[in-house]
Amino acid sequence: MYNTLEFPQVLRLIEDRSAAFRAAIASAPDLDAQVPTCPDWTLRELVQHLGDGRRRQAAIVAAGPGAEPPARTDPKGAPTAPRDREALDAWLAESTELMLDALREAGPDRGCWTWWGRSQAPETSGAVARHQIQEIAVHTYDALLLQGIARPLPTDVAVEGVDEFLTTVSATTVPWPFKPATIDLHTAEGPSWRLTLDADGVRCDGLTADTEPGDMVMRGTASELVLYFYDRIPLDGLETTGDTEPMEQLAYWDPNA
């Protein structure tokens, strides 16, 4: 697998994407507009989701290992984001800093609750931090797209994001219920991966140039791949060869159903 980022680099990318999200919100003319890539939410509701989510992750990381996420301590539930623009920006900044403080305190190797116990990603604060980069980066894309700006994810974020998604979201030990297959993914930036789908589940491995092509091959920029994974662009926005059915099945398969 590709992941080469050290923990301080991961935290810096969280800071960078959080700043980009705040800038996108600050420049948005209407916070009550519907977000096209999150059609059930207005931009204000997206802000609420991102801010409260970072506060929730801070509590999860601080709680350490557990079979369940820690219960909310506030009987009123999730804190409501302020409506005033300046106060809203400060609330978002504080939300990010609360999570970063918890991650710094825990370090990369401390265990904590995660929802991906059967994946290839460890159940650690470091793995949580990796996933947070993508959560914030994709929602920054959403906020900018609402303003007519289709800006790709930064290269370092996107290349990291392909590996993170494949090992955290795609990989599982739940047996693959369809015809066994291999899916190769190649980025324009260089790194490549193979997904193997069979009775042992879904496994992600690195891919070398001399490997015979899989049943399906996908090519695109790392940003395009991540945006496809998160259902922001369609599969036909990527270059594909071979049988696309395994990827289409994987996109809709819920191994926990």
Side-chain angles (χ1 to χ4, degrees):
M1 290 171 287
Y2 178 76
N3 178 31
T4 59
L5 295 181
E6 298 293 334
F7 192 56
Q9 294 174 291
V10 172
L11 298 187
R12 282 196 293 273
L13 287 179
I14 291 174
E15 290 179 316
D16 176 77
R17 289 300 86 202
S18 297
F21 181 78
R22 288 169 54 204
I25 298 306
S27 64
D30 181 8
L31 295 184
D32 294 315
Q34 295 296 130
V35 181
T37 42
C38 301
D40 294 333
W41 287 344
T42 65
L43 191 55
R44 190 181 300 280
E45 288 168 332
L46 178 61
V47 172
Q48 173 71 42
H49 165 75
L50 205 67
D52 177 54
R54 292 342 90 199
R55 291 165 184 262
R56 186 75 181 122
Q57 287 300 321
I60 288 170
V61 169
E68 299 289 338
R72 288 188 180 275
T73 57
D74 188 340
K76 296 180 181 179
T80 301
R83 295 193 67 83
D84 174 77
R85 288 272 189 151
E86 187 174 338
L88 183 62
D89 182 71
W91 183 78
L92 275 174
E94 182 185 55
S95 301
T96 300
E97 198 54 38
L98 285 169
M99 184 180 71
L100 287 170
D101 285 346
L103 289 168
R104 293 185 190 105
E105 176 68 23
D109 300 319
R110 182 181 177 187
C112 67
W113 177 85
T114 72
W115 49 262
W116 56 74
R118 301 186 72 171
S119 77
Q120 286 177 237
E123 294 184 276
T124 63
S125 52
V128 167
R130 285 188 80 199
H131 189 68
Q132 288 306 301
I133 300 172
Q134 307 311 317
E135 176 93 5
I136 301 165
V138 172
H139 284 320
T140 301
Y141 173 87
D142 295 331
L144 288 171
L145 192 65
L146 176 59
Q147 301 175 54
I149 306 169
R151 184 173 296 163
L153 276 58
T155 298
D156 52 356
V157 169
V159 173
E160 167 75 1
V162 176
D163 186 85
E164 196 279 330
F165 188 94
L166 295 178
T167 55
T168 302
V169 182
S170 297
T172 180
T173 56
V174 177
W176 176 245
F178 307 107
K179 179 182 176 182
T182 53
I183 301 172
D184 296 346
L185 303 100
H186 301 283
T187 61
E189 293 83 357
S192 299
W193 296 262
R194 167 166 288 182
L195 287 177
T196 301
L197 303 83
D198 58 23
D200 293 326
V202 178
R203 185 178 67 257
C204 175
D205 297 293
L207 191 62
T208 59
D210 58 354
T211 305
E212 289 293 318
D215 299 305
M216 176 188 177
V217 179
M218 300 174 61
R219 299 180 187 275
T221 66
S223 177
E224 289 169 339
L225 286 170
V226 173
L227 292 174
Y228 164 72
F229 295 156
Y230 285 97
D231 202 25
R232 267 51 180 186
I233 64 173
L235 182 59
D236 60 16
L238 298 160
E239 178 188 341
T240 62
T241 56
D243 183 7
T244 62
E245 185 178 37
M247 180 56 80
E248 293 164 349
Q249 291 169 329
L250 183 60
Y252 292 101
W253 178 51
D254 181 1
N256 299 312

